[in-house]
Amino acid sequence: MKYHGVTLHRKLEKNMGLLIFGILFVSSIGGLVQVLPSIFQESLSTATENSHLYTAVELTGRDVYIKEGCHVCHSQQIRPLLAEVERYGPYSRADEFVYDRPFLWGSKRTGPDLHRIGGKYSNAWHEAHLIDPRSVVNNSIMPAYPWLAEWEALDLGNIQSKMRALKTLGHPYSEEAIEAAPGQLEGLSQLYALISYLQILGTGLAEEYR
Amino acid sequence: MTNREVYHDGVVKRLVQFSIIWAVLGMLVGVWLAAELIWPGLDFGQFWLSFGRLRPLHTNGIIFGFGVSALMATAFYSVQRTSNVPLYMPRLAWIVCYGWQVVVLTGGLSLLAGWTSSKEYAELEWPFDIAITIIWVCFAVVFFGTIATRRIQNIYVSNWFYGGLIIVIAMLHIVNNLAIPVSINKSYSIYAGAQDAIVQWWYGHNAVGFLLTGGFLGMLYYFLPKQANQPIWSYRLSVVSFWAFTYTYIWAGPHHLHYNSIPEWVQSLGMVMSLILLAPSWATMINGIMTVSKAWRKLTVDPALKFIVLALAFYGLATFEGPMMAIRSVNVVSHFTDWTIGHVHSGALGWNAMITYGTFYFMVPRMMGTELYSIRLANIHFWLALAGTMLYIISMWGAGVSQGLFWLSIDEIGELSYSFTDVMASMVPYYGLRLLGGLVFLTGTILMAYNLLRTMYGRNTVQVSPPEVLDEIRGTAHNPNAVMGVEPAAGKGGVPA
């Protein structure tokens, strides 16, 4: 045997346990060095003045957004590039997303970015747009969501269990807020909840960063 | 060894059939989605036909239905033959086969119902995540059990890639899907915001890496030498590229988050490792091309080999394009655009689907002990697949590069040159061409389905016994290629001297 490495590898080729261990070892290094430190980096998970805790209605709206797959075509991530800031508003910051479970940054802009959509259009515009996009944007290719006006916000899972689950994960919901949640959703449509969520998107950014 | 011992090919055949069904259905959904982007009314006001729900069905159906069923089929087929022993726990293999199909079917329906975690390629909610984990462990037991009971000393290289697929995907799947369940159809990720993004793309990129690349390289290392009737050009190069690939790929995920709200060092590291990844990727491609280089003549008449070699070419293209798109200054243009969609499809259509088709054309006639129903149809399929893939990726290059540049364009007084809707409206010709490409590719796949089902119709799998183990492969001499039983052709170009 000329090279030590060759001998070692011949052992590996004949020993399944070693091979499995080798694969596990070699493939976990990247995750341990690159992903694990990020999970423990507090600045990525600590709430600041830029962080917004979703109300019961907004949280329900966010779950409507996820259920309908809005994130498939819309990003929520404005990159620090001149053209993006000009088009969409101030670039996105990590502390704006600490209450986002899951994150909804997206990977494709078939439609425009939505991170700073909050407050840009009226509720009436959003309602018309969601029910029939082409009634307000001529050549839009967005699907219509007429059913959202008929579906009840309360039908989208138990809001109290949702808030309790998030509380376990560190979202500071008070017991009063959790108690009051079902009452706040009473009689609202999923369309209304979704619009409430869209209207709050990106508006939490403190004045000095705008 | 008793004489009654035979390879378990029935389960392979069934997995091939399921894989073909998912291929046709998954691509049909893809074509429908392409049409919806031109005519948004095609959802007919039905929530379950809406783009946001149908698109994850397409990706999951193709990756987990078509892709994983094909990986299981080819892994079961080749691990028996490279270990010289029938499958370990064949009943469990059948449970894996049917269990997986049930998960794909019910999981697909759940996506239409709006059950989704939203994480790309990991959309299925927690009950399905648990079911996938259980089936995956059973898959590992069958696969590694077969290797453990092998009658040959060396573990052949294709098995390392399949092994890497099983181990790494298990790790990624479990870590990325950790969540707190709220109800049967809803859970919240234990990670939030930027951290969730980093974990998700560590998963997302390596699902592409170890499933769509590594797993399918397992196919390449068994079926290419076998069909070309040539040993691997450099076994040592395959060793080196395997470990380099396994080590490097896992770092590359953050190139999906360039200029996003994550630490810059994570992005830069992701970019550098993506560039380094070009080396093991192309080492494998060169190894494959050199392996087939003594059998070029066979390429003109053998549809299975044609598909495998064309797949290798697209593998080279996609693994070059990927690192280029991972460069931050290129990514500024390509991110969020259809260029990414095109890149994924040069991999998914050109590499994954083509090599799978090659292995199916290889395995089905052999397992049935007959000739392929129609070589002519297979050749037509080949050209349709090539044309469809080219139409798809060229149209998406056009669409993606224009989107990227138009969105970033700023005029001399510092105003945006184009509104978002103007750019969107200019996509119609590209989207039309893409729809055509998808249709052409789907047509080829349907031809294959017909061809293979006719080949299988009314026949059972033939009973193949493991050959007598020869001393040279039992392991005294170090010759890892020997297990393949391929005869290198004398003389040039595969023509016997």
Side-chain angles (χ1 to χ4, degrees), chain B residues 31 118 198 248 341 401 445:
Chain B
V31 167
S118 90
I198 293 171
T248 316
I341 312 296
V401 174
T445 305

Side-chain angles (χ1 to χ4, degrees), chain A residues 9 13-14 16 34 38-39 63 68 77 79-80 86-87 92 97 100-103 107-109 111, chain B residues 53 120 150 153-155 160 186 188 190 193 195-196 239 243 251 259 261 336 338 407 414 418 420:
Chain A
H9 201 271
E13 279 174 60
K14 296 184 172 91
M16 190 183 75
Q34 186 188 34
S38 313
I39 292 176
D63 288 341
E68 296 299 339
Q77 178 65 224
R79 298 176 292 173
E86 194 140 325
R87 191 182 300 278
S92 306
F97 302 103
D100 276 22
R101 289 177 204 269
F103 80 114
S107 61
K108 179 72 174 37
R109 283 180 188 154
Chain B
R53 300 187 187 216
E120 268 185 277
R150 72 191 184 281
Q153 255 202 348
N154 274 285
I155 302 168
W160 313 349
K186 180 74 189 169
Y188 287 115
I190 67 159
Q195 295 171 336
D196 196 34
V239 168
W243 291 110
W251 298 77
Y259 289 104
S261 320
F336 293 131
D338 277 306
W407 290 342
Y418 306 97
F420 191 91

Side-chain angles (χ1 to χ4, degrees), chain B residues 293-362:
Chain B
S293 69
K294 285 188 181 144
W296 286 127
R297 201 62 67 84
K298 203 169 180 231
L299 205 53
T300 56
V301 291
D302 180 344
L305 193 61
K306 268 192 231 185
F307 270 108
I308 295 173
V309 171
L310 184 66
L312 198 55
F314 275 107
Y315 170 75
L317 171 75
T319 54
F320 175 77
E321 192 185 26
M324 294 308 114
M325 292 169 78
I327 299 172
R328 287 184 92 200
S329 46
V330 178
N331 194 270
V332 161
V333 177
S334 74
H335 197 48
F336 293 131
T337 72
D338 277 306
W339 187 353
T340 309
I341 312 296
H343 172 62
V344 169
H345 283 83
S346 70
L349 301 176
W351 158 242
N352 298 124
M354 298 253 203
I355 192 164
T356 303
Y357 297 163
T359 65
F360 287 179
Y361 283 126
F362 174 102

Side-chain angles (χ1 to χ4, degrees), chain B residues 62-118:
Chain B
I62 290 294
I63 297 173
F64 299 111
F66 170 46
V68 172
S69 299
L71 285 169
M72 286 173 171
T74 53
F76 287 161
Y77 183 90
S78 62
V79 75
Q80 301 183 80
R81 284 157 174 84
T82 51
S83 301
N84 243 50
V85 70
L87 280 183
Y88 178 71
M89 296 179 75
R91 285 219 181 111
L92 192 62
W94 279 102
I95 292 173
V96 169
C97 166
Y98 283 110
W100 190 257
Q101 310 313 322
V102 170
V103 168
V104 174
L105 180 68
T106 52
L109 293 174
S110 82
L111 290 171
L112 291 184
W115 301 18
T116 176
S117 74
S118 90

Side-chain angles (χ1 to χ4, degrees), chain A residues 60-120:
Chain A
T60 304
R62 193 170 195 270
D63 288 341
V64 174
Y65 186 99
I66 293 170
K67 171 179 62 118
E68 296 299 339
C70 304
H71 55 275
V72 170
C73 293
H74 294 281
S75 58
Q76 289 188 21
Q77 178 65 224
I78 302 164
R79 298 176 292 173
L81 306 170
L82 183 59
E84 296 231 334
V85 171
E86 194 140 325
R87 191 182 300 278
Y88 301 119
Y91 65 83
S92 306
R93 294 170 167 272
D95 53 1
E96 294 183 80
F97 302 103
V98 297
Y99 296 127
D100 276 22
R101 289 177 204 269
F103 80 114
L104 292 173
W105 296 356
S107 61
K108 179 72 174 37
R109 283 180 188 154
T110 303
D113 187 275
L114 297 181
H115 188 209
R116 306 251 179 253
I117 197 72
K120 281 197 183 156

Side-chain angles (χ1 to χ4, degrees), chain A residues 8-191:
Chain A
L8 174 74
H9 201 271
R10 285 194 183 168
K11 263 187 211 147
L12 214 60
E13 279 174 60
K14 296 184 172 91
N15 186 328
M16 190 183 75
L18 265 184
L19 185 65
I20 292 176
F21 174 77
I23 292 172
L24 206 56
F25 176 72
V26 165
S27 67
S28 32
I29 298 170
L32 292 175
V33 176
Q34 186 188 34
V35 176
L36 204 63
S38 313
I39 292 176
F40 291 104
Q41 185 173 336
E42 285 192 3
S43 65
L44 295 180
S45 57
T46 310
T48 68
E49 52 187 338
N50 295 326
S51 316
H52 172 77
L53 183 66
Y54 300 112
T55 65
V57 178
E58 291 157 10
L59 185 68
T60 304
R62 193 170 195 270
D63 288 341
V64 174
Y65 186 99
I66 293 170
K67 171 179 62 118
E68 296 299 339
C70 304
H71 55 275
V72 170
C73 293
H74 294 281
S75 58
Q76 289 188 21
Q77 178 65 224
I78 302 164
R79 298 176 292 173
L81 306 170
L82 183 59
E84 296 231 334
V85 171
E86 194 140 325
R87 191 182 300 278
Y88 301 119
Y91 65 83
S92 306
R93 294 170 167 272
D95 53 1
E96 294 183 80
F97 302 103
V98 297
Y99 296 127
D100 276 22
R101 289 177 204 269
F103 80 114
L104 292 173
W105 296 356
S107 61
K108 179 72 174 37
R109 283 180 188 154
T110 303
D113 187 275
L114 297 181
H115 188 209
R116 306 251 179 253
I117 197 72
K120 281 197 183 156
Y121 299 89
S122 67
N123 287 355
W125 184 92
H126 277 299
E127 190 176 339
H129 183 242
L130 283 162
I131 288 174
D132 180 11
R134 278 154 294 284
S135 69
V136 280
V137 181
N138 225 353
N139 41 19
S140 168
I141 54 169
M142 189 172 109
Y145 295 90
W147 52 86
L148 290 183
E150 286 149 36
W151 292 355
E152 302 272 334
L154 272 176
D155 290 346
L156 199 69
N158 185 329
I159 184 67
Q160 290 187 323
S161 342
K162 287 182 180 180
M163 290 169 87
R164 289 222 167 84
L166 289 172
K167 198 177 174 185
T168 321
L169 290 164
H171 295 212
Y173 286 118
S174 65
E175 268 312 308
E176 298 79 68
I178 296 175
E179 281 305 313
Q184 290 164 355
L185 291 183
E186 188 71 54
L188 300 185
S189 67
Q190 294 190 8
L191 186 76

